[in-house]
Amino acid sequence: MAVLEKGNISIHTENIFPIIKKSLYTDHEIFLRELISNAVDAISKRKMAKLSGESSVEVPDGEIILAVDQEAKTLSITDNGIGMTAEEVKKYINQVAFSSAEEFIEKYGSDADALIGHFGLGFYSAFMVATKVEIETLSCKDGSEAVHWSCDGSPEFELSASEKDTIGTTITLTIMDDETEYLEDQRIKQLVKTYSDFMPVAIKFNGEQINKQRAIWKESPQNLTDEDYLEFYRYLYPFQEEPLLWVHLNTDYPFMLNGILYFPKLRPDVDVTKGQIKLFCNQVFVSDHCEEVIPEFLMPLRGVVDSTDIPLNVSRSALTNHRTVRRISDYIAKKVGDRLKTLYRDDYAAYVKGWEDIGTFVKYGSIRDEKFKKQVEDILIYRTTFEADVAKPEEPKVEVQSSDSDVWDDVSKEGNIATEPFTTLKDYLERNKEKHENRVFYCTDTSTQATYIELYKNQGLEVLFMDSFIDTNYFIPFLEREFSDVKFSRVDSELDDSLVDSDKASEIVDPSTNKTRADVIKEVFEQAIAKEKVNIKTQSLKGADNQAAPPAMVLLPEAMRRLQEMTAMMQQSTMQFPDEHVLMINTAHPLIENIYNLSQGSIIQADGSSSNQATVNMLCQHVYDLALIAQKGFDADGMKSFVERSNQVLTKLSEK
């Protein structure tokens, strides 16, 4: 084989190889991504060469073939792209388009992996895993001759004639002894799936295509069906529940951006700061981390974002403040907000159905982003006890493509749309301004607060359900800042005056001391419970059926409870039931009336004790226990004591 030329690779060659090996040491696997990307680029350029008349040869369907030779320890990447002449090899391979290579590692450090191709080093990443790299190439240009290039990782190269007779390029890597994982079939397949799965060219290995190839986010939404979107979601996130909704992003001004974002089903306690959106650049996978590109409150969304305008040649710290990145982030937030508003307006039933999950994003976004808050502030909804006629919602419908090429679709076809009433805060305040102006009653746990909710409902007071993780810890304080003249009260924090019969509570039963009946009942319970931190409060609850109302309720003052909740959250611990709380005794309840009568009917013994005192104490403690149970206020010892006292009460009752 005639050697056409020997020489040194030019421009800082003394620095290139050490820097490549040092800076990319932690992520050698990206070499295959770079070589496949170059091959795809070559295939695209062959089509352009044909159109421009540089080549008269017909262009076949593009394909990339990977091959492994275990004995020779070689991995080859073959494409049927444009190929190179000897002069082009000298230009594109020998003269590396990279000045100041020595600044590479100093400036970008651990971000080097994603930057190679943008510094003209894509091909040279092969030397991270190879002791020798060879190129066999034949240009598609008429009259071209094949050439062979080889380099052993030093600045020296050799260029000679080649016997290759098919247009395209084969790059052969002789793999290092400590990098033999790249000769394993499964490792090759895994790398292609990770980085090059959606390249628009078939990638073949051992006779089969191993990449999906179709990137539906690059296609027109008009040409895609529901099943296309769902199949893509299942492919990206197998074994997950079907997504609620999706938005297809497609714009080419003032930046290039394509993508599909899915709203997944969420748990109420989901961490809304983490997500699984994949970042691509020209269909090449770049990263699982889009913190700088995706608005923080949309991180839990899933899907892909693909843009050539996201600069990969700057450090991640600088990316956050990059003008284009900020504009892309704002664009994504705006499109999501627009689609939510459209869904609210055009398909309210579907909006309500997905609110438990969608609401997490909307609320978090309202807290974190002022522009987004302005977009969605009128479509924030809350489940409510308000009883109104609820029309049967229509079946969710597909929304047609809009003029800006975005599409939003509801993928749930089941008929179990939420039928409970929902309301906006504005409507709630307007509806209740006569009963309690600028006051919002809310609950956070429908099971532990069921008694309180029912009490409010029976008196015609409307309660909002704010029972998600984000509500309790973040959103209610946010609403209080936004509505500074509105007071938010949890149903178990204090009782509204409209629930209490103040006249009955003031009935005097002991003229000599001016003690009211309520005063006496309070003393009876204080003596029986004997806990300084439990504040006994007596009130007469309104209600046509006194038996239906609870005999006692544990109330947790709003400010104190929130302080304990915040402390527990900051310490990443479970909030313990506070020792300091209010025990509200309902003096209108028959059981409390009986305890009062029993305490007043006692015969004083010679030792000063009352004949009924033990029974009264036991009943008072039992009433307190039941109030604690409603609030889940028992620990293990408390439950043990409750069971013992319950047995004592039943024993006492069965004696008569």
Side-chain angles (χ1 to χ4, degrees):
M1 184 186 303
V3 175
L4 301 178
E5 186 174 343
K6 285 187 177 182
N8 288 338
I9 300 169
S10 60
I11 304 181
H12 291 270
T13 54
E14 66 277 13
N15 292 318
I16 286 177
F17 295 108
I19 287 174
I20 287 173
K21 293 175 182 178
K22 180 180 178 183
S23 66
L24 303 172
Y25 183 78
T26 59
D27 203 1
H28 288 188
E29 66 182 31
I30 57 87
F31 82 91
L32 189 58
R33 176 192 75 183
E34 296 296 319
L35 296 180
I36 289 176
S37 297
N38 288 347
V40 172
D41 188 46
I43 290 169
S44 175
K45 287 179 178 177
R46 181 171 178 180
K47 295 176 183 176
M48 291 188 286
K50 171 66 174 175
L51 293 173
S52 65
E54 292 184 59
S55 173
S56 60
V57 182
E58 289 300 316
V59 180
D61 291 337
E63 68 175 12
I64 299 168
I65 298 175
L66 308 180
V68 167
D69 186 328
Q70 293 281 355
E71 292 186 8
K73 291 186 178 180
T74 60
L75 167 64
S76 64
I77 299 95
T78 301
D79 67 67
N80 57 355
I82 192 171
M84 289 181 285
T85 64
E87 288 303 313
E88 287 169 335
V89 169
K90 295 176 187 178
K91 179 179 179 180
Y92 297 118
I93 302 299
N94 294 345
Q95 298 176 14
V96 180
F98 184 75
S99 61
S100 301
E102 62 272 13
E103 297 177 8
F104 185 72
I105 181 62
E106 295 175 10
K107 188 172 183 180
Y108 300 111
S110 61
D111 293 324
D113 318 356
L115 308 177
I116 301 178
H118 292 261
F119 283 90
L121 290 179
F123 167 74
Y124 281 92
S125 64
F127 287 98
M128 293 189 297
V129 299
T131 59
K132 183 179 181 181
V133 178
E134 300 172 81
I135 301 175
E136 296 273 355
T137 183
L138 175 60
S139 173
C140 70
K141 295 178 181 178
D142 297 340
S144 296
E145 295 182 356
V147 295
H148 173 271
W149 178 95
S150 67
C151 180
D152 61 2
S154 69
E156 297 179 355
F157 70 90
E158 182 177 294
L159 188 64
S160 58
S162 168
E163 296 180 0
K164 182 176 176 61
D165 58 2
T166 55
I167 294 172
T169 301
T170 296
I171 298 177
T172 302
L173 284 63
T174 302
I175 301 297
M176 298 175 181
D177 290 340
D178 56 353
E179 302 286 355
T180 53
E181 63 183 276
Y182 301 114
L183 298 174
E184 299 171 5
D185 288 5
Q186 283 306 117
R187 185 72 167 117
I188 297 295
K189 291 179 180 179
Q190 180 254 325
L191 289 178
V192 170
K193 182 175 175 63
T194 299
Y195 293 107
S196 308
D197 206 17
F198 299 101
M199 298 300 283
V201 173
I203 303 172
K204 297 180 179 179
F205 184 52
N206 293 340
E208 64 171 333
Q209 181 171 332
I210 59 173
N211 66 319
K212 187 173 178 64
Q213 190 173 345
R214 185 186 182 193
I216 70 168
W217 66 85
K218 288 282 192 176
E219 300 179 26
S220 169
Q222 291 178 314
N223 299 330
L224 297 170
T225 65
D226 290 359
E227 190 56 32
D228 288 329
Y229 286 106
L230 289 172
E231 181 186 348
F232 183 55
Y233 184 83
R234 296 176 195 129
Y235 181 76
L236 292 177
Y237 311 103
F239 311 113
Q240 299 294 313
E241 291 185 74
E242 299 284 74
L244 294 167
L245 309 162
W246 58 76
V247 58
H248 193 143
L249 304 169
N250 185 358
T251 185
D252 55 12
Y253 182 82
F255 41 75
M256 293 288 295
L257 180 73
N258 300 94
I260 302 172
L261 300 180
Y262 293 89
F263 274 74
K265 288 284 292 178
L266 297 178
R267 297 186 309 275
D269 61 345
V270 70
D271 184 348
V272 294
T273 65
K274 296 181 179 178
Q276 299 183 49
I277 296 175
K278 300 178 185 296
L279 179 62
F280 287 76
C281 180
N282 267 340
Q283 295 163 242
V284 179
F285 174 73
V286 175
S287 174
D288 271 323
H289 303 288
C290 296
E291 288 87 350
E292 298 81 13
V293 180
I294 303 296
E296 179 189 11
F297 62 92
L298 294 179
M299 288 307 296
L301 292 181
R302 295 175 178 173
V304 301
V305 169
D306 191 332
S307 177
T308 56
D309 289 324
I310 297 173
L312 300 178
N313 58 343
V314 298
S315 63
R316 295 189 66 180
S317 59
L319 202 58
T320 305
N321 297 317
H322 195 280
R323 182 183 178 188
T324 300
V325 171
R326 290 201 310 270
R327 294 175 74 181
I328 289 175
S329 179
D330 289 343
Y331 169 83
I332 292 173
K334 183 179 186 304
K335 287 304 175 185
V336 169
D338 287 344
R339 287 307 172 215
L340 289 170
K341 289 168 66 177
T342 300
L343 191 67
Y344 179 88
R345 182 188 68 236
D346 296 345
D347 199 348
Y348 182 72
Y351 186 81
V352 167
K353 181 174 181 176
W355 180 251
E356 180 181 0
D357 301 284
I358 296 172
T360 301
F361 297 95
V362 180
K363 291 173 182 177
Y364 191 53
S366 298
I367 295 171
R368 302 297 296 180
D369 187 300
E370 180 68 21
K371 292 179 183 177
F372 186 77
K373 185 203 77 175
K374 291 295 185 184
Q375 272 190 287
V376 301
E377 58 188 358
D378 293 332
I379 62 172
L380 289 163
I381 59 174
Y382 310 88
R383 193 159 57 92
T384 176
T385 59
F386 177 64
E387 295 182 358
D389 294 333
V390 182
K392 184 178 180 182
E394 298 177 0
E395 186 72 17
K397 60 187 178 183
V398 176
E399 189 176 287
V400 297
Q401 183 188 7
S402 66
S403 58
D404 56 1
S405 298
D406 293 334
V407 67
W408 183 285
D409 184 23
D410 175 15
V411 301
S412 300
K413 301 304 179 186
E414 300 171 3
N416 58 339
I417 297 174
T419 57
E420 293 175 304
F422 278 76
T423 185
T424 63
L425 188 57
K426 180 181 177 181
D427 288 343
Y428 174 95
L429 292 171
E430 178 65 25
R431 195 162 47 242
N432 293 286
K433 65 181 180 181
E434 298 297 329
K435 296 179 181 178
H436 47 83
E437 187 173 12
N438 288 340
R439 184 94 178 267
V440 174
F441 299 114
Y442 70 94
C443 68
T444 58
D445 190 319
T446 54
S447 59
T448 62
Q449 295 160 19
T451 301
Y452 307 84
I453 296 168
E454 197 62 30
L455 182 65
Y456 278 72
K457 285 177 62 178
N458 290 340
Q459 293 303 315
L461 298 180
E462 183 178 354
V463 177
L464 297 184
F465 293 83
M466 297 182 173
D467 49 6
S468 71
F469 174 83
I470 192 171
D471 286 330
T472 309
N473 294 282
Y474 302 102
F475 201 63
I476 293 171
F478 166 77
L479 288 175
E480 288 177 320
R481 292 192 299 271
E482 292 292 307
F483 299 88
S484 57
D485 58 338
V486 177
K487 181 179 180 180
F488 288 76
S489 299
R490 206 168 83 174
V491 290
D492 61 348
S493 63
E494 58 182 299
L495 296 182
D496 187 69
D497 291 341
S498 61
L499 300 173
V500 178
D501 187 343
S502 56
D503 293 336
K504 194 167 183 179
S506 61
E507 175 189 352
I508 296 177
V509 295
D510 188 348
S512 63
T513 60
N514 279 334
K515 286 184 179 180
T516 65
R517 182 168 167 277
D519 293 334
V520 174
I521 292 173
K522 178 179 180 180
E523 291 178 355
V524 169
F525 271 85
E526 285 177 339
Q527 181 180 353
I529 294 173
K531 289 186 177 181
E532 291 184 2
K533 292 186 177 181
V534 177
N535 180 15
I536 308 293
K537 187 175 182 180
T538 51
Q539 291 179 306
S540 176
L541 297 183
K542 289 181 180 179
D545 184 1
N546 289 331
Q547 186 69 45
M553 304 171 76
V554 169
L555 303 177
L556 305 175
E558 191 85 14
M560 183 183 69
R561 188 201 74 244
R562 289 199 195 182
L563 178 61
Q564 289 188 299
E565 288 174 343
M566 183 61 66
T567 301
M569 185 177 67
M570 293 178 66
Q571 295 176 349
Q572 296 185 336
S573 61
T574 303
M575 190 189 101
Q576 300 299 313
F577 193 82
D579 291 333
E580 292 188 36
H581 52 264
V582 175
L583 176 63
M584 193 286 298
I585 306 298
N586 177 15
T587 58
H589 196 280
L591 175 55
I592 304 304
E593 179 74 23
N594 292 342
I595 292 175
Y596 168 75
N597 292 334
L598 193 60
S599 69
Q600 298 304 299
S602 300
I603 299 174
I604 305 300
Q605 307 291 341
D607 61 0
S609 64
S610 169
S611 59
N612 291 336
Q613 193 62 51
T615 302
V616 168
N617 289 348
M618 190 187 310
L619 289 172
C620 288
Q621 185 66 57
H622 200 68
V623 168
Y624 178 45
D625 287 344
L626 292 173
L628 283 173
I629 285 178
Q631 275 279 19
K632 293 184 179 178
F634 271 154
D635 55 17
D637 291 337
M639 180 57 72
K640 180 175 178 290
S641 299
F642 168 70
V643 173
E644 292 174 353
R645 280 191 293 270
S646 297
N647 291 332
Q648 292 172 9
V649 170
L650 293 173
T651 301
K652 192 74 175 176
L653 290 173
S654 63
E655 289 175 352
K656 306 223 171 168

